[in-house]
Amino acid sequence: MSGIVVHLPEGNGGDAVTLRLGPGERVLFGRGSSTTPVGLRLGDEAVSRLAGEIRATDDHWQLSNLSTTHGYLVENPEGAGEYLRVPPRRVGAPIPFEFSRVVLPSRGETPVHLQVFAPDHVYLDPHAAGGSWESRTLTAYSLDETATYFLVLVALCEPWLRDRSPVAVPTTPQVVERLRGHAACTRLTARAVSAHIDYLADEKLRISAPAPDGAGRADRRNGKREAVVGLALKFGIVSEEHLALLPPRTGSAVPGR
């Protein structure tokens, strides 16, 4: 993945917005005004007109806190509670997380937040022998097996791995239900699952199959899920041993049936 994906969820003062930034590109966020344009508008009175800037680089992204009074938190939703605090007026703070939630103080019951998918974190081939960095082999698909997007991928592939027969790809609601018993997925929503599938297809697995002419949104979504499952199984990205990552199955949580 080159660049980052920034997502402003619905409910932060406006409609949901998703932006893709290439290396060197940036986006300003804040409450904004006619004289202070911002790319991501946060509709909360406690947020500065010009609250901050997100800048993409080749291998990470940077957060600038342009507020003079409020610190911002950058959380790792898929970790064990890790977070960074970016103090007021801090410029260009490097963020190490692959998936981050930028949280700003607000006057509402819940803070406003942005989500950022970082540049692809590169991993060495686990079977590669030692030696210099230049001589080592990198994995073709760098996936973090502790991340929620990988759990989504395993849930999508589960019917094939268990039955080894052609079955329907689990739908988004079925994936949500299948992962509900996992400690990291108690608040997982259908919208979040769709975002993880998009991230897998567009960034992690780099699937660029065009949608058929006249295909509706549901058809495009189904085609993307099928392409993700097909590639993951074809190249052994997901195998039977990964099924242990899923919560125990119940009679009502068998996807693809």
Side-chain angles (χ1 to χ4, degrees):
M1 174 182 177
S2 179
I4 64 175
V5 175
V6 183
H7 178 64
L8 175 64
E10 188 176 4
N12 285 276
D15 296 331
V17 178
T18 300
L19 300 176
R20 193 179 302 272
L21 305 180
E25 295 182 333
R26 62 174 188 154
V27 62
L28 295 170
F29 61 89
R31 200 159 88 253
S33 68
S34 58
T35 58
T36 309
V38 293
L40 295 170
R41 187 180 295 273
L42 304 173
D44 189 282
E45 294 179 353
V47 176
S48 304
R49 294 287 184 185
L50 188 57
E53 176 189 270
I54 292 172
R55 180 185 295 272
T57 70
D58 288 330
D59 59 0
H60 67 283
W61 62 280
Q62 300 173 342
L63 174 64
S64 294
N65 183 352
L66 305 182
S67 169
T68 59
T69 55
H70 295 308
Y72 303 155
L73 293 181
V74 183
E75 301 174 339
N76 177 11
E78 304 191 321
E82 299 97 337
Y83 69 90
L84 299 174
R85 180 177 181 274
V86 181
R89 303 181 302 281
R90 173 69 160 92
V91 176
I95 308 301
F97 308 134
E98 186 173 15
F99 175 41
S100 304
R101 181 186 292 118
V102 181
V103 183
L104 285 70
S106 74
R107 292 181 61 86
E109 294 183 359
T110 58
V112 296
H113 68 278
L114 306 164
Q115 297 170 350
V116 182
F117 292 91
D120 194 10
H121 287 194
V122 178
Y123 296 87
L124 289 173
D125 185 334
H127 305 294
S132 66
W133 169 262
E134 293 80 3
S135 67
R136 292 179 178 176
T137 302
L138 302 180
T139 57
Y141 302 106
S142 296
L143 276 71
D144 180 358
E145 296 185 4
T146 66
T148 301
Y149 67 74
F150 193 80
L151 283 173
V152 170
L153 180 58
V154 176
L156 288 171
C157 296
E158 183 182 24
W160 279 266
L161 294 172
R162 291 198 186 278
D163 301 327
R164 298 190 179 279
S165 60
V167 292
V169 178
T171 64
T172 298
Q174 284 175 323
V175 173
V176 173
E177 183 64 25
R178 181 66 184 93
L179 297 177
R180 192 178 304 278
H182 195 284
C185 300
T186 55
R187 297 185 179 181
L188 190 67
T189 64
R191 184 184 295 273
V193 168
S194 295
H196 284 302
I197 293 172
D198 288 341
Y199 183 53
L200 284 163
D202 299 340
E203 311 300 344
K204 285 297 184 180
L205 303 181
R206 303 183 294 280
I207 295 171
S208 57
D213 293 339
R217 182 175 181 180
D219 291 333
R220 290 195 297 271
R221 180 68 65 190
N222 289 337
K224 183 171 288 189
R225 291 203 313 271
E226 291 172 355
V228 163
V229 169
L231 190 146
L233 294 174
K234 185 182 299 181
F235 287 98
I237 297 170
V238 177
S239 61
E240 289 185 20
E241 65 184 25
H242 292 120
L243 294 175
L245 299 173
L246 299 176
R249 291 198 298 177
T250 63
S252 61
V254 183
R257 295 300 187 191

